[in-house]
Amino acid sequence: MKFAFTEYTPAQKQALFGGVSVSPILPYSYKEDMLAGKRGESSAAISLSGAQTKMSLLVQDGILRFATPGEQGTHILKPHPQRFALQRDIPANEEFCMRMCRDVFRLPAAESGICFFQDGVPAYLTRRFDLLPDGRKLHMEDLASLSGQLLRGNSNAKYHGSYEELAEIVAGTSSAKLLDTRQFFRMVLVNFILCNGDAHAKNFSMIDEDNGAWRLAPVYDVMNTRLHVADADFAMGKGLFRDAREIPRNQMGAFFLSWGEAIGLNARITTKEIRHVLACVPAVIKALSSSDLSQKAQRVFRYHLKQRVQRFQDVS
C-alpha cells in the first residue's frame, strides 16, 4: 500500500508529539475497523460532532493506538465520513484550514496533522491542548454548555442563537475580556472567510489556564465545509446578530464592523482585524497548491474563498 508519507517532519514531531518519533501509519484498517464497525471494545469514541466520529488515541512505543475505556488519550482521530462530496479530502481540508489559522491568520490553534490507516485512507489527527505535560487535564467548557442551551435536551441547540450572544458569554467568562472578545471577532471572521458553515457554539470554548484565569480556548474543528455540503454562511441560526438581521451580499465589511460595535469593540480595532484577515488570503491561496487536497478540491476551495473575499467590496 502506498502512503503519501511514512514519517513526520521534525517540525511535525515537535508540534504533535513533543519531539518523539511516531509513525503516521495506524495499526488499523479503515475498511475493516471503521466502516465494518470492528473497532472492538479496545477503542473509545469520545464524542460525535455532526457526522464525524472522534476517536481518542495515545502513543505507545512510537505507534498511535486507540485509548481503552478509562485511559486518557492525548490525541484525537477523525476518520472521514462516507456520505459527502469529496469525502476523501475531508482530513486534508481540516488539516489545511487549521494550519492556515495557526501560520497565516495568526490564531492560537490546536496542533494537527494527517495520519493513515493500513489501507492508505487518510485521517485527521490533532493533539489535545487541554492536557498538561504532567497529564493533568485543564477544565474546558464550550459555549453551548455555558449558554445553558444543551441543558434543554435539544441536540441541535448548538446552532441556536447568534455570534453576538456567544461573544457576550466570552466577555462574561474571560479573565481578559477585551483581548478575548477581539480574538473571538477574528475567529468568527476567519471561519467566515474559510467558508466554515459548521462553526457552532460547541466549536468555541473557554479554558481554565490552571491559574484560575478563564480564557478563550484555541481554535479547533475548522474546515471549508463548502467543499462537501451546500450550507449557510453562518452556523448559528441567527447569524452574527441576535436580531437575525439580513446579511448584505457585498457589504460584509460594514456588517462585521457593526457586529464588532455590538460586541463592544471600537471601529479602529475591527477595521484592523478585517484588513489583517483579508490581507492573509493571498497566502492561503498560494499555500493551497502545496496542500494535500486533491486538484479538484483545491479548485473548489479557491473558488469559494475568492467569493467570500469579493463580499468585502466595501473595505478599502
Side-chain angles (χ1 to χ4, degrees):
M1 178 61 61
K2 184 178 180 180
F3 301 97
F5 56 88
T6 56
E7 63 179 20
Y8 291 111
T9 67
Q12 290 172 322
K13 289 178 185 178
Q14 186 60 45
L16 283 169
F17 310 108
V20 176
S21 291
V22 175
S23 173
I25 303 171
L26 301 167
Y28 310 104
S29 161
Y30 180 76
K31 182 177 180 180
E32 295 182 5
D33 295 306
M34 295 293 109
L35 296 186
K38 297 179 181 178
R39 292 176 291 158
E41 296 182 358
S42 63
S43 62
I46 62 172
S47 68
L48 287 171
S49 178
Q52 285 188 275
T53 300
K54 296 182 179 181
M55 309 299 300
S56 180
L57 299 180
L58 52 80
V59 176
Q60 183 176 27
D61 299 327
I63 301 294
L64 284 160
R65 68 164 176 83
F66 290 134
T68 59
E71 284 187 310
Q72 177 61 71
T74 56
H75 294 72
I76 296 171
L77 176 77
K78 293 171 72 172
H80 73 75
Q82 283 287 297
R83 60 181 183 272
F84 297 101
L86 297 171
Q87 59 193 30
R88 286 282 290 249
D89 283 294
I90 291 176
N93 180 354
E94 186 163 0
E95 188 280 328
F96 177 77
C97 287
M98 290 296 296
R99 180 156 42 88
M100 294 301 99
C101 285
R102 288 192 305 271
D103 298 346
V104 176
F105 293 112
R106 299 301 180 186
L107 284 167
E111 296 292 347
S112 57
I114 297 292
C115 59
F116 304 93
F117 290 98
Q118 292 284 316
D119 35 12
V121 177
Y124 175 75
L125 177 71
T126 184
R127 183 177 184 174
R128 297 189 63 148
F129 54 76
D130 59 341
L131 295 178
L132 296 175
D134 61 9
R136 286 181 298 139
K137 188 173 183 294
L138 298 177
H139 187 199
M140 190 166 80
E141 291 281 350
D142 64 60
L143 299 191
S145 296
L146 289 172
S147 72
Q149 288 280 4
L150 296 186
L151 298 178
R152 301 172 191 176
N154 184 348
S155 61
N156 288 321
K158 61 189 177 184
Y159 298 107
H160 290 180
S162 66
Y163 292 102
E164 181 181 352
E165 293 162 280
L166 295 187
E168 291 174 356
I169 296 172
V170 171
T173 308
S174 174
S175 300
K177 174 181 175 180
L178 181 59
L179 289 175
D180 280 344
T181 300
R182 181 172 182 171
Q183 191 91 287
F184 184 70
F185 181 93
R186 186 183 296 189
M187 286 181 177
V188 174
L189 177 57
V190 167
N191 271 284
F192 176 78
I193 289 292
L194 291 178
C195 308
N196 182 19
D198 201 36
H200 52 68
K202 283 187 69 65
N203 283 341
F204 300 95
S205 292
M206 302 298 296
I207 190 166
D208 183 346
E209 294 188 324
D210 200 37
N211 57 7
W214 280 88
R215 298 298 306 275
L216 186 61
V219 172
Y220 58 94
D221 288 1
V222 178
M223 72 163 63
N224 185 330
T225 56
R226 282 295 174 96
L227 268 66
H228 314 292
V229 293
D231 53 11
D233 286 345
F234 296 107
M236 300 305 293
K238 293 182 179 180
L240 288 182
F241 295 90
R242 58 164 26 96
D243 62 7
R245 68 189 65 174
E246 185 178 352
I247 303 173
R249 180 63 197 170
N250 294 318
Q251 294 181 330
M252 290 304 295
F255 199 56
F256 269 93
L257 282 172
S258 295
W259 178 62
E261 181 180 3
I263 65 175
L265 298 174
N266 65 47
R268 180 185 61 81
I269 288 176
T270 50
T271 298
K272 186 174 181 179
E273 288 294 330
I274 293 169
R275 287 175 176 168
H276 164 75
V277 169
L278 293 179
C280 289
V281 172
V284 176
I285 293 174
K286 182 178 180 180
L288 266 173
S289 61
S290 58
S291 73
D292 292 319
L293 288 159
S294 67
Q295 291 297 312
K296 181 176 180 180
Q298 289 180 29
R299 289 195 301 272
V300 177
F301 196 121
R302 191 176 297 110
Y303 169 80
H304 286 297
L305 187 59
K306 290 180 177 180
Q307 288 288 307
R308 288 294 165 94
V309 172
Q310 287 176 9
R311 296 180 66 178
F312 288 83
Q313 292 178 4
D314 57 329
V315 176
S316 57

